[in-house]
Amino acid sequence: MKVVTSDEIDSGLIDYAGHMQRAIELAGQVLTTTPNPRVGCVLVDADNRVIGEGWHQTAGQAHAEAMALASCSEQALQDSPIAFVSLEPCSHHGRTPPCSDALIAAGIKTVVIAGMDPNPQVSGQGVAKLEAAGISVFHLKNFENQAELLNRGYLQRRRLGIPFVRCKLAMSLDGRTAMASGESKWITGAAARSDVQTLRASSCAIVTGVDTILADDPSLTVRLESLAVARQPMRVVLDSKLRTPSTARLLQSPGEVKIFTAIATEEGAKDKGKNHPHNVEIISAPAQAPDQQVDLKNVLESLAGNYACNEVLVESGSTLAGAFIQSGLVDELIVYVSGKLLGSDARPLLNLPGLASMSDQIALQITDVAMFDNDIRITATIVK
Ligand SMILES: NC(=O)c1ccc[n+]([C@@H]2O[C@H](COP(=O)([O-])OP(=O)(O)OC[C@H]3O[C@@H](n4cnc5c(N)ncnc54)[C@H](OP(=O)(O)O)[C@@H]3O)[C@@H](O)[C@H]2O)c1
């Protein structure tokens, strides 16, 4: 495989950058293909004509390469076709046959990719299979960042064994997330809250703390019909002592619910949750010092390892959100800032105790700012 930029490979005939950009756009049309990566594919003939396009739509359905091959005629495939794929083609039998085999069988002569797949079942083997069949493979290094952004969750789960974690909070302009009484509805307007629905729909799991359940009784489901979600994300409550009542709306609404508790034995935990509905699973997790609360890293490892969660959205109050940030487990912070003032008695954005001097500060890189009526959405990554 040759690692090159699109400029280095450009012969003046084939638009390498344009076709790869299109493959990435195709992949990005869907919010999630969990547990699979989002992938797009463009097939081009020797005269630079697009002869087929495809993208992975949902797990269990055709992969991008298979959809692109199915969209073009055998005649079109006669002319030394090139496949642009946003991720290394797979080499193993999963729910669908290997894409590298399909590309070889279709007579593709060149495959251009934007990123490698760290899945141990692929991880270079897709490229090796193509090359063993005499296909030239190019890795466009100037598209690596875009390919990475497309599948941040999938890639992180495969590389580190934990999901990509977004933490979302809504605050007033004076940095408050709830009144002292716990009342917090509504800080932001309808447009910002509808944007949160998209965040939920692209997540594999929504994680919250038991005190948000007790204060707000949220269902944390995706409710926007326009998103037409095929599945509800899993809802996860971190509840060390199992204080979640069986009547909680989140337990009573359809979809999978996991409650992670620090109550030591499975039997003890099951007994305490015996009145919960059947869609609710109670999981005993290790406790972390100093408060013997659920160990956050362990929860993330379990979500990735046992439930193949790629992207997780933390939607809690300041206590759990602060704990996630102080544990260094948040990758992206999304804060909706409303044009309201809630006053100095109201609750802060994050509980981050122990920061005493400027050198203790947690640095953020602001990556995006957007307006939703009278609210601002700020997206930032935590500088690690
Ligand atoms: N503005 C917003 O975006 C927003 C979003 C959500 C909620 N809220 C508001 O926030 C308030 C609730 O916030 P909150 O801070 O009290 O509660 P929270 O952050 O939702 O939940 C905190 C609880 O999570 C549990 N937990 C389990 N493992 C933990 C760990 N390792 N570290 C820390 N906590 C852990 C703890 O209870 P155990 O020790 O019993 O496990 C802890 O008390 C409500 O008023 C709600 O309306 C605002």
Side-chain angles (χ1 to χ4, degrees):
M1 179 177 71
K2 289 202 176 87
V3 181
V4 290
T5 65
S6 44
D7 283 347
E8 283 164 0
I9 195 179
D10 196 352
S11 62
L13 177 58
I14 303 294
D15 178 10
Y16 286 89
H19 296 310
M20 186 54 83
Q21 192 61 53
R22 175 71 182 152
I24 287 172
E25 270 166 29
L26 290 170
Q29 293 180 103
V30 265
L31 286 175
T32 179
T33 50
T34 185
N36 294 343
R38 299 192 292 170
V39 185
C41 176
V42 176
L43 299 174
V44 176
D45 71 10
D47 293 321
N48 196 38
R49 283 186 299 244
V50 174
I51 55 172
E53 287 188 340
W55 63 97
H56 188 38
Q57 297 183 347
T58 189
Q61 286 188 10
H63 287 188
E65 300 89 324
M67 184 179 169
L69 287 169
S71 77
C72 66
S73 67
E74 284 204 9
Q75 177 66 29
L77 285 167
Q78 298 308 309
D79 192 12
S80 302
I82 305 174
F84 290 82
V85 196
S86 57
L87 187 71
E88 177 186 12
C90 66
S91 52
H92 64 295
H93 282 270
R95 279 185 269 188
T96 58
C99 292
S100 42
D101 288 357
L103 294 169
I104 294 164
I108 299 292
K109 295 287 179 261
T110 306
V111 172
V112 186
I113 61 173
M116 298 294 285
D117 186 348
N119 177 358
Q121 288 180 299
V122 186
S123 192
Q125 296 165 64
V127 168
K129 218 176 200 188
L130 295 170
E131 290 187 321
I135 294 176
S136 306
V137 182
F138 296 95
H139 179 172
L140 291 189
K141 60 185 175 198
N142 52 322
F143 281 89
E144 242 167 25
N145 276 352
Q146 285 194 58
E148 191 80 22
L149 286 178
L150 203 51
N151 287 305
R152 283 187 291 190
Y154 172 81
L155 296 170
Q156 179 144 304
R157 170 167 71 87
R158 291 298 188 189
R159 289 178 189 141
L160 304 181
I162 52 173
F164 183 87
V165 178
R166 282 191 186 89
C167 179
K168 164 256 146 187
L169 288 142
M171 71 174 196
S172 58
L173 196 53
D174 54 348
R176 304 291 161 167
T177 51
M179 303 310 287
S181 65
E183 187 190 353
S184 68
K185 283 179 184 155
W186 295 106
I187 292 176
T188 48
R193 297 205 307 275
S194 150
D195 188 56
V196 172
Q197 294 282 314
T198 307
L199 282 181
R200 282 187 192 164
S202 54
S203 305
C204 306
I206 315 294
V207 175
T208 194
V210 59
D211 287 319
T212 289
I213 301 292
L214 296 174
D216 295 355
D217 197 14
S219 62
L220 298 178
T221 49
V222 181
R223 291 184 293 276
L224 219 56
E225 272 178 29
S226 57
L227 292 173
V229 282
R231 51 139 199 105
Q232 284 290 342
M234 174 190 290
R235 274 105 17 98
V236 176
V237 185
L238 305 195
D239 180 3
S240 313
K241 304 172 208 71
L242 282 182
R243 292 185 285 137
T244 303
S246 297
T247 50
R249 204 171 284 157
L250 181 128
L251 307 196
Q252 297 297 335
S253 47
E256 256 181 292
V257 177
K258 312 284 175 206
I259 301 181
F260 282 81
T261 178
I263 292 180
T265 65
E266 293 282 350
E267 292 71 37
K270 281 206 177 95
D271 188 50
K272 265 203 126 181
K274 61 179 182 292
N275 293 324
H276 290 345
H278 293 304
N279 57 337
V280 180
E281 186 185 358
I282 298 178
I283 300 166
S284 288
Q288 70 183 23
D291 299 323
Q292 298 308 302
Q293 289 175 313
V294 171
D295 183 277
L296 302 181
K297 177 98 185 288
N298 181 275
V299 168
L300 294 182
E301 285 168 349
S302 172
L303 292 179
N306 300 327
Y307 307 103
C309 288
N310 293 335
E311 297 183 25
V312 160
L313 183 66
V314 178
E315 283 198 65
S316 68
S318 54
T319 309
L320 185 61
F324 263 107
I325 288 186
Q326 284 200 310
S327 304
L329 295 169
V330 174
D331 298 292
E332 190 170 74
L333 185 61
I334 298 181
V335 181
Y336 293 86
V337 186
S338 78
K340 295 186 177 90
L341 301 173
L342 297 185
S344 51
D345 290 341
R347 300 192 189 185
L349 178 67
L350 294 161
N351 282 9
L352 296 173
L355 304 189
S357 66
M358 282 305 280
S359 60
D360 296 330
Q361 67 185 253
I362 296 167
L364 304 175
Q365 177 68 50
I366 294 177
T367 55
D368 187 56
V369 177
M371 285 295 292
F372 294 87
D373 294 340
N374 198 35
D375 302 316
I376 304 168
R377 184 190 66 197
I378 300 174
T379 306
T381 50
I382 314 276
V383 178
K384 292 185 180 171

